Amino acid sequence: MRLCLSGGVAALTLSMAAPAFAQVQSPREDGTVVVSDAEVPVSNLLSPEGAAYLRHLIVDKPFGEGPPLADIKAERARQDKIMHVFLDPMLKRYPVKITEERIGGIVTDVVIPAGGIAPENRNRVLINVHGGGFVTGARSASLVESVPLAAVMGIKVISIDYRMGPEYQFPAASEDVAAVYREVLKTYAPSHVVLYGCSAGGMLTAESIAWFQAHGLPNPAAIGVFCASLGKLAAGDSAALAMRLLGAPGRPAPAKAAPPPPPRGPSYLGGVADDNPLAYPLVSPAVLAKFPPTLFITGTRAFEFSAALNSHNQLAKAGVESQFHGWDGMFHGFFYNSEMPESREAYDIMAKFFDAHMAK
């Protein structure tokens, strides 16, 4: 099951029948409700493959926890290995050709269908900005996000290897996206270009639109903000519930005389003010009003679900065309797993939205 909201301000009411065995403690003065002993089974609205994979994530915890981010090389290697768990079967399902190209001075991976670009897409292109928390995902998560759409749409996808933290900080990635975009516009009309990304890449997509506005660049035909929002990712109900619904334990009691955490490099967005619309476009109605048509993709067990829904509502309030699609029981970045029917449904929705908004 997926939820689709399009057009005007979305009004969504989710009603959940609390099982009789759930124990709800007396609410706190601030309205906080603490629920214990509540059982939440794997959603019965999922496909068999989706249900099996969700159980695998909850019970088996296949990816574990990696090294501290102070060891960024080790964490990037670990994340690349995880991405290849998804990419290897994806390449069998969606055969493509991948070449490295430097565009606007920035390294990119250019992905085209093995059978060639469809005639109707010869003058069209997608630009991808990958996920990975602004620290990982270059040339691995980027391919997981690019390969399916290149094959499904029969189109060229340019995936940008943008600068990340801790080596670089905001607005380095926005500058890199703009450099590639300027170069792409020498060949393609902006009405023939779509920009999209997942997680940090979804945030960067939104940040790039704000950056384009500030630097006199035209909007692309449409954007895809997947597994992300137009502001911070953690907000609303889903930020409090999602990880628990994926089997994460509650907060442990603080240990006495706990050792200090290992030192980390500066985070990519750590020094940015919360009211900076170039980093968080959601804070500026004026910036939002100039956004192109936007597609949101998420799942109800994704921590960004509430933030993405709120972003969709705010775009609609600003008069911008926006679509929101959420799959019940799905988690952050679920469509990285192309073996689930839910993921392939998401690819089809992305393809239809992008095709409908790019000029012929």
Side-chain angles (χ1 to χ4, degrees), residues 1 27 64 82 103 117 137 153 155 158 176 182 222-223 232 269-270 305 337 348:
M1 175 185 178
I82 291 172
I103 301 176
I117 296 170
M153 292 188 69
I155 197 169
I158 299 170
D176 289 352
R182 283 192 182 94
I223 60 173
K232 294 190 175 183
L269 288 167
F305 180 91
N337 182 353
D348 287 341

Side-chain angles (χ1 to χ4, degrees), residues 83 87 109 111 128-131 137-148 157 159-161 196 336:
M83 288 303 106
L87 182 60
D109 282 314
V111 184
N128 167 255
V129 285
H130 64 82
R139 316 194 75 178
S140 59
S142 56
L143 295 178
V144 172
E145 295 178 29
S146 301
V147 166
V157 182
S159 193
I160 302 175
D161 184 6
Y196 75 99
Y336 278 20

